[in-house]
Each structure stands twice: as structure tokens, then as C-alpha cells.
Amino acid sequence: MTGSFAFKLIKTDGAARRGEVVTPHGTVQTPAFMTVGTQGTVKGLSPEQVAATGAEIVLGNTYHLMLRPTAERIAALGGLHKFMNWPRAILTDSGGFQVMSLSSLRKLTEQGVTFRSHLDGAMFKLTPERSIEIQALLGADISMQLDECLKLPASREEIERAMQLSLRWGERSKRAFEGRAHDGYALFGIVQGGDDIALRQQSARALTDIGFNGYAIGGLAVGEPQNVMLKVVEETTPVLPSDRPRYLMGVGTPHDLLEAVKRGVDMFDCVMPTRNGRHGMAFSRFGSINLSNARHAADPRPLDEESAHPAARTYSRAYLHHLTKANEILGQVLLSTINLAYYQALMAGMRAAIEAGSFDDFRAATIAGWQQGDIAAL
Amino acid sequence: MTGSFAFKLIKTDGAARRGEVVTPHGTVQTPAFMTVGTQGTVKGLSPEQVAATGAEIVLGNTYHLMLRPTAERIAALGGLHKFMNWPRAILTDSGGFQVMSLSSLRKLTEQGVTFRSHLDGAMFKLTPERSIEIQALLGADISMQLDECLKLPASREEIERAMQLSLRWGERSKRAFEGRAHDGYALFGIVQGGDDIALRQQSARALTDIGFNGYAIGGLAVGEPQNVMLKVVEETTPVLPSDRPRYLMGVGTPHDLLEAVKRGVDMFDCVMPTRNGRHGMAFSRFGSINLSNARHAADPRPLDEESAHPAARTYSRAYLHHLTKANEILGQVLLSTINLAYYQALMAGMRAAIEAGSFDDFRAATIAGWQQGDIAAL
């Protein structure tokens, strides 16, 4: 199950890629959806339940974990895998994105970012070197460079400044990572450049020159329309080396995943399946379903009797409606589970389609299923 | 697994009893702890997870379910067992206790109780007949008579009035239950009488004359000291028929269970293992442990490495502390699970001790374990 980090490209179908990411904690089949486990837990699910959805890798958030319980505490307890009892692969982000979105009193300099904890107001500093140190303490199979992620829209000048800073932080991240000499572990660079294609391509080339184990496309899904996001992806992936995995950060809806895989992306992460699940929304073959809607109140059918996951086959929509209306924890847990299982099933479907050389057919059929809508299942 | 309701007394050790309650949905080994599943779910746990704690029966709350999603809705969906996917035994309460504690604008008459829903302010009426009807719609293996449950302290006059009313409601409940002719299902009467031993014994005798499948002791754990509760139990159980199960309602702490079994009680229910678990408290062989306490923050040990349940053996105290401090759903789920498993292990220990004729030794050793406290485990 363990091995040094590697990416194997197994098959392509158009720009879509079927591959494997080997890590010290197991192999991840790509295209892959990485389940978000922000604070050392996928919200509401035990590690066994996470694995049962089909997940092979989870994402931990450096920002949250550095504040509580701290990276040093987790290291002393044997690392994040042991802390959260997740024996498979873990990717950690650099903390930068959440410093920008969650903390107050940020101050960004060439050196790094100083911020106030949203928990207790204490001041912290995050530099490329400290971010790599934290991720090493956590024991991440895949670490991410620190970058600056802007909200869109932003001016070209501002986008270029942030992109160039992110490149310099990428270089420093790589030096720091090499200095720690974690054999077999990986570091990914992050392409920035907002919605400016030329800047994106410049960023991608410069990162490739630095040399990383994989390349993320960051700074998307931050307010721009889907077509802008997909355009950036489409123009960026051809500039990245084909023998390294590509990770589109923080994306997205099932439709986003389908379109991004079509454009050559291998890895994703998103809070949507768990966050929306906690708010009564299910993702399914029939599109998204709002379980709090009264039309489900007397519906004895399961969400999807053909699902590979028992949670989608076992519980009636009426029961899920009841749990949602009653704000019961089990409703949040079941819908999170059902959604993660659907995301994993979608990725498995894409992988099989690429292998069979029928990705476009799969894509069309999947979208048609969503467009039928839930009504079609009645 | 199914059968008509019956109670088999297997062994006694002093006043402590080892038995079996047979129901249409399986046999329950007694002394038994019944897990509370108020709104059609044990908070946070799937039915499989509930069963894995050792539970053989869960309790549903008539008050909550009659308001949402309504008993008629659950009946239309195939009954409560199917609705919540719990194939084993279910006991439902009558709704009376929670009308008193949760609703406003109650009006109690000879006929029944009129109240305002705490959810939407709608008016409802609960009579002995309607309570039995609701419990039949839910499909409860064991139904409870409607009674009036007073808070203690209360005057003797008030206690006697409520006890006599409860007896009349017991008779009406039995007539209503017989009219529905659910072969193999059971109805329990409820002894009232506050902390007045003479009234308790009068109630127990009168209920025995009416004739029920089992007898509950209600109106305790409502504010009185433990020694008063145990005195009432001790003086009531000898008056009840020995060939019927005895159920002490809403009790209690692990120590309460131990002392009540010693005094001849067979069945219990309580929200404590789940409610306290949601608030960071664990029950264990070492007594209760407050996981939010900072002394657990760096503790790599599991809660109880000798526990029969993996949740108590797998996760470190440091991790449970972290989840509790971070208010993560998984912390609530794991501590609820660990507590329910501990309660079930305690009951299993009592059953084995009664069989072996060593209940007093088991009781003393268990109490000594709690008194060592958590420190002893360090």
C-alpha cells in the first residue's frame, strides 16, 4: 500500500486523463475527488465511514490545525494520519487561502502573512517555510506551497503582483521542502494569475521550471462564472507537464468536476458534498435534491436505489426529510455520506469512461441524468 | 427473532433478576438499558452503530413523533421500525411526561391533557385512548399507559390525586389497547405515588389488579435525591408480580442502574449517555471523564483500551479532546457511541454477575473502579 510519490498516466481520452497517484499512504486513482477533513475530521464521519464512500485521500487544513490543536501537538501524537485514524493518503493545504478568508488583521509582506486567529485573537505568522514545516509536522503525503489567492474580479496589476509573489513563495517552499528531506513525500506548486490567461500560462511555465511533484490551479472558484473558470483550466493544463498530476483547488459542483476532467484535471477537493449535506441537500444521479422540501415528506423511496452506498438505498426520502426538518445529527451525517459516495461514484464513472475511451458519452449521459431532474424519478 | 411478548425470569441473586423480554422484534436480555431515540433516531448514530453498542431495544418518544412527522405519517410509511430502519424491539412512551416538560399551555382534565406544540404552537389533545392509538400507529412492541408525572417535592394530596388519575388512565389505556388487538404486543402500566411509599404500594397493587404485561415505576428522577428514589424502588418492586418485567423510567447514571438492579429492576432508559456525550462527557470504568478538560489535550491513550467497542479503544483522548473543543460532530457521535457501549457493557456485566450469583461482588468492584477515578488510569 505504501510507496514513494509517483504519478502514472494510464490512459487519455481527449484531454481527460486516467492515472494513479502513488503516495506513502496508498495509491489514489485519478481523476480523484479528495474529501475535505478540515479540523482533523471529515465532519460527522468516522474514518471507516469515509473509506466506505470510496475515498482514498482526504485533505487537512493547515490554517485550522496550526491554531488547534497545533501542528506540534499532532506531531507529538504521531502525525495527522494517526491522530485522526486515517491510514490512507493525506494532502494538506498551505494555510494561505484560509488566512485570507477566515482571519482578521492580515498583513501581507514579501516575507509572509501575519494574522489574528479567528479562535482567540492570538497573532500568528505564516511564511512559505513555516507552512512547509507545519505540513511536515502533520505528516502530509502531499504538501502545498504557500501562495496568495485573490478574490475575483481583481485588476490585472493586482493579479500579476499576487502571481509573482506566489512564484517567489513557490521557490522558497521548494527549498524549505527539500531541506526537510521527506523521502517519498510530495510538494505541489500552485498556478495563480486570476482570469488572465497570459499570466496563468506564465505562472505555469515558471512553476514547471522550478519543478514540483504536481501542479495545482489555485485562485479559482472564488466568485468568477463557471465559463471563466473552465477557460482558465483549459488554457492552463496544456502548459503543465503531462507527467505530473494536476489539481484544481476548491472545485466544485459535480458539473464542474465533469468539465474540468474533460480539460485535463486529475484531482479536486471541495466542501460542497459535506457542507450542503449538513444543510439538507443531496447530490444524485438526478441532480441536486433539497430534502427539506415538503414534497419529500411522505416519499417512501430511497434517494437512489441503484447507489453503490447503502445509505442512499436504505433510508426513505421521507425519513431524510424528517431528520432534516428536525435538525437531527443523523440527517447531516447521512446526507454527507450520501453526497461523498455520489462524488466518488461520479469520479469512478469518469475513470471507467476514460479507460473505455467514451468520456464524452459518459459526460453527456451524466448531464442528461441531472437535467431530467428529480421529477423524472417520480 | 420474533415472538409474542413474554418475560422469562432466568435467575435471581438477592433481589436482582436475570431475565429475557421476548418481543415481536427480538429478545431483550435483562437487566436491559434501552437507548433513547427520541425523534426516530438515536442522536447521531445509524441503526447499525446503535446495534454495535450492544443495544437490543430503543425507546421512541410519542410526544415528539406525534408532532413531527406525526404517527399517521409513520404508519403510512410502514411503522417506526421501518421508518428509522431499526429491526429490533421498540418501546414508546405515552407522551405524558414530555407534554408536562416541553409544551406550554397545558390543561389537564379527567379526560386527558390539552397542550400547545413547542414546534409551531398548534393545539393537541392527548388522552389515554389517543396515546394508545398513536403508539399502535408507530408499531411499538411495548406501549406505555398515559399517566400524570409530577415533579417532586409535591404535597401528599397532590401526589395522591395524580396517582389515582394515573390509575384511571391505566384502566382506560388497557381497554383501548385490548380494543386494538395487537397480538403479541405489550402494554405496561406505570406506578405513581411520588415519594410516598404507601401510595406507591397502593398504586402497584391496583395496577396489578388491572393486569399489564409489565410494570414501570414512573415519576422518579424528577428532582428527588438518589436515596429517596432507591427507597421508593426498594419498597415498590416487592409489591409487583415477579413474573412481569419492571421498568424504572428515565433512570439514570451508571450508579443508579447498579443500585436499581440490586433492588429488582429489569429495564431502564435515559438520555444521559447520548446527551452527556454530545457535551464532551464520557462514562467509563474509571468514572465519568470530561473530555473538554485541558489535561486530556496531549494524552495519547484511548478512553478504555479494554472496552469491547472499537471507538473506546481506537481514538486517543487527545483526539476526543480536540473534537470536543472544536465542537465537531464526530466528537459528539464518538462520545455518544462510547457512552452507549459503556452502558451496555455495564448491563452485560450485571447480567453475568447475577447468573454467577456474584452480583454484590460485581457491584462493589464496579463502584471501586469508578472511585479510583480517571487518575488511576494514568
Side-chain angles (χ1 to χ4, degrees):
Chain A
M1 165 138 170
T2 66
S4 280
F5 183 88
F7 177 66
K8 291 190 242 178
L9 185 57
I10 296 169
K11 180 91 163 64
T12 58
D13 181 3
R17 295 146 50 99
R18 171 76 181 90
E20 279 180 0
V21 171
V22 180
T23 83
H25 291 87
T27 295
V28 179
Q29 303 299 320
T30 64
F33 179 77
M34 302 188 285
T35 303
V36 177
T38 297
Q39 304 198 86
T41 160
V42 174
K43 289 192 187 299
L45 276 67
S46 71
E48 295 77 15
Q49 290 172 312
V50 174
T53 66
E56 296 177 317
I57 180 168
V58 304
L59 181 146
N61 284 118
T62 284
Y63 172 80
H64 288 87
L65 295 172
M66 74 182 280
L67 298 182
R68 183 175 58 196
T70 77
E72 283 71 14
R73 165 77 36 83
I74 290 177
L77 290 162
L80 185 55
H81 292 88
K82 185 171 178 195
F83 185 61
M84 66 187 289
N85 279 285
W86 174 255
R88 306 185 191 210
I90 294 177
L91 178 147
T92 47
D93 66 7
S94 70
F97 179 79
Q98 280 160 330
V99 166
M100 304 303 168
S101 57
L102 292 179
S103 70
S104 58
L105 266 189
R106 297 179 299 277
K107 186 162 174 258
L108 190 84
T109 67
E110 182 68 29
Q111 183 57 22
V113 57
T114 309
F115 64 94
R116 196 177 281 286
S117 160
H118 73 288
L119 294 178
D120 60 4
M123 294 302 297
F124 287 85
K125 186 161 192 180
L126 199 58
T127 62
E129 294 76 15
R130 175 62 180 153
S131 176
I132 293 298
E133 181 182 28
I134 290 170
Q135 296 179 76
L137 286 166
L138 297 174
D141 297 282
I142 302 174
S143 294
M144 302 301 300
Q145 72 150 93
L146 190 67
D147 62 340
E148 184 188 355
C149 178
L150 294 177
K151 282 210 171 111
L152 293 179
S155 70
R156 188 184 190 285
E157 186 179 28
E158 182 66 0
I159 291 172
E160 179 164 16
R161 185 202 55 71
M163 183 274 276
Q164 294 289 4
L165 179 67
S166 296
L167 280 179
R168 294 191 296 278
W169 284 4
E171 286 199 72
R172 284 168 57 190
S173 295
K174 191 183 177 194
R175 279 201 300 276
F177 185 79
E178 287 174 343
R180 303 197 66 89
H182 270 61
D183 281 351
Y185 287 70
L187 176 67
F188 282 20
I190 304 179
V191 177
Q192 288 290 353
D195 51 5
D196 188 302
I197 302 299
L199 291 179
R200 284 280 174 183
Q201 295 184 338
Q202 184 184 339
S203 171
R205 288 195 190 91
L207 285 171
T208 308
D209 288 343
I210 298 170
F212 290 92
N213 302 105
Y215 297 88
I217 304 176
L220 291 176
V222 290
E224 79 287 359
Q226 189 198 41
N227 66 322
V228 172
M229 175 181 83
L230 294 176
K231 176 75 176 163
V232 170
V233 169
E234 185 170 280
E235 301 286 351
T236 302
T237 53
V239 185
L240 292 169
S242 63
D243 62 347
R244 301 290 157 97
R246 303 156 181 171
Y247 160 29
L248 180 56
M249 302 182 80
V251 174
T253 64
H255 186 244
D256 291 337
L257 304 188
L258 207 50
E259 297 298 342
V261 166
K262 179 179 164 65
R263 290 161 176 82
V265 174
D266 307 302
M267 301 164 72
F268 302 88
D269 80 283
C270 192
V271 296
M272 225 178 251
T274 42
R275 179 175 293 167
N276 290 17
R278 292 200 303 282
H279 293 95
M281 210 189 91
F283 292 101
S284 80
R285 287 190 295 132
F286 317 114
S288 62
I289 301 176
N290 181 356
L291 267 308
S292 64
N293 193 303
R295 73 192 172 95
H296 305 297
D299 192 336
R301 296 172 308 149
L303 261 175
D304 183 358
E305 61 196 9
E306 292 177 24
S307 171
H309 199 288
R313 297 193 309 265
T314 305
Y315 301 94
S316 67
R317 296 174 184 214
Y319 185 62
L320 295 170
H321 170 81
H322 168 69
L323 295 178
T324 298
K325 296 301 281 184
N327 199 27
E328 280 284 350
I329 297 176
L330 184 61
Q332 302 184 18
V333 171
L334 290 178
L335 288 174
S336 295
T337 304
I338 286 168
N339 290 349
L340 288 172
Y342 177 68
Y343 267 63
Q344 295 298 343
L346 177 64
M347 302 314 292
M350 288 196 255
R351 292 193 295 266
I354 298 168
E355 283 178 19
S358 59
F359 183 81
D360 280 340
D361 291 346
F362 176 82
R363 174 174 161 274
T366 301
I367 292 171
W370 295 332
Q371 286 172 344
Q372 279 173 48
D374 185 35
I375 302 302
L378 288 167
Chain B
M1 164 134 171
T2 66
S4 279
F5 183 87
F7 178 67
K8 291 190 242 175
L9 185 57
I10 296 170
K11 180 91 162 62
T12 58
D13 181 4
R17 295 145 51 99
R18 171 77 181 90
E20 279 181 1
V21 171
V22 180
T23 83
H25 291 87
T27 296
V28 178
Q29 303 300 320
T30 64
F33 179 77
M34 301 188 285
T35 302
V36 176
T38 297
Q39 303 198 88
T41 160
V42 175
K43 288 191 187 302
L45 277 67
S46 71
E48 295 77 17
Q49 290 173 313
V50 174
T53 66
E56 296 177 316
I57 181 168
V58 303
L59 181 145
N61 284 119
T62 284
Y63 172 80
H64 288 87
L65 295 172
M66 73 182 281
L67 298 181
R68 183 174 58 197
T70 75
E72 283 71 15
R73 165 78 35 85
I74 290 177
L77 290 162
L80 186 55
H81 293 87
K82 185 171 178 196
F83 185 62
M84 65 186 289
N85 280 284
W86 174 254
R88 307 185 189 210
I90 293 178
L91 178 146
T92 47
D93 65 8
S94 70
F97 178 78
Q98 279 160 332
V99 166
M100 304 302 169
S101 57
L102 293 178
S103 70
S104 58
L105 266 190
R106 297 179 297 277
K107 185 160 176 260
L108 190 84
T109 66
E110 181 67 28
Q111 182 57 22
V113 57
T114 308
F115 64 94
R116 194 176 283 286
S117 160
H118 74 291
L119 294 178
D120 62 3
M123 294 301 298
F124 288 85
K125 186 161 192 180
L126 199 58
T127 62
E129 293 77 16
R130 175 62 180 153
S131 176
I132 293 299
E133 181 183 27
I134 289 171
Q135 296 180 76
L137 286 165
L138 297 174
D141 297 282
I142 303 173
S143 295
M144 302 300 300
Q145 72 150 93
L146 190 67
D147 62 339
E148 184 189 356
C149 178
L150 293 177
K151 282 213 171 109
L152 293 179
S155 69
R156 188 183 190 287
E157 186 180 28
E158 183 66 359
I159 291 172
E160 179 165 15
R161 183 201 56 73
M163 183 273 278
Q164 295 288 3
L165 178 68
S166 295
L167 279 180
R168 293 191 296 278
W169 284 4
E171 285 199 71
R172 283 167 56 191
S173 295
K174 191 184 178 194
R175 278 201 301 275
F177 185 80
E178 287 174 344
R180 302 196 66 90
H182 269 62
D183 281 351
Y185 288 69
L187 176 67
F188 282 21
I190 305 179
V191 176
Q192 288 290 353
D195 51 6
D196 188 301
I197 302 298
L199 290 179
R200 284 281 174 181
Q201 294 184 337
Q202 183 184 339
S203 171
R205 285 194 191 92
L207 285 170
T208 307
D209 288 343
I210 298 170
F212 290 91
N213 302 105
Y215 296 88
I217 304 176
L220 291 176
V222 289
E224 79 287 358
Q226 190 199 39
N227 67 322
V228 171
M229 175 182 82
L230 294 177
K231 176 76 176 165
V232 170
V233 169
E234 184 170 280
E235 302 287 350
T236 301
T237 52
V239 184
L240 292 169
S242 63
D243 62 348
R244 301 291 158 96
R246 302 156 181 171
Y247 161 29
L248 181 56
M249 301 182 80
V251 173
T253 65
H255 186 244
D256 290 337
L257 304 188
L258 205 51
E259 298 298 341
V261 167
K262 179 180 164 65
R263 290 162 176 79
V265 173
D266 306 302
M267 300 165 73
F268 302 89
D269 79 284
C270 192
V271 296
M272 226 179 251
T274 42
R275 179 175 294 167
N276 290 16
R278 291 200 304 283
H279 292 94
M281 209 190 91
F283 292 101
S284 80
R285 287 190 294 131
F286 317 115
S288 62
I289 301 176
N290 181 355
L291 267 308
S292 63
N293 192 304
R295 73 192 172 93
H296 305 297
D299 192 336
R301 296 172 308 149
L303 261 176
D304 183 358
E305 61 195 9
E306 292 176 26
S307 171
H309 198 288
R313 297 192 310 264
T314 304
Y315 301 94
S316 67
R317 295 175 185 214
Y319 185 62
L320 295 170
H321 170 81
H322 168 68
L323 295 177
T324 298
K325 296 301 281 185
N327 200 26
E328 280 284 352
I329 298 175
L330 184 61
Q332 302 184 19
V333 171
L334 290 179
L335 287 174
S336 295
T337 304
I338 286 169
N339 289 348
L340 288 173
Y342 178 67
Y343 267 63
Q344 294 299 342
L346 177 64
M347 303 314 292
M350 287 196 256
R351 292 193 295 266
I354 297 168
E355 282 177 19
S358 60
F359 183 81
D360 281 340
D361 291 346
F362 176 84
R363 174 174 162 276
T366 301
I367 292 171
W370 294 331
Q371 287 172 344
Q372 281 173 46
D374 186 33
I375 302 301
L378 287 168

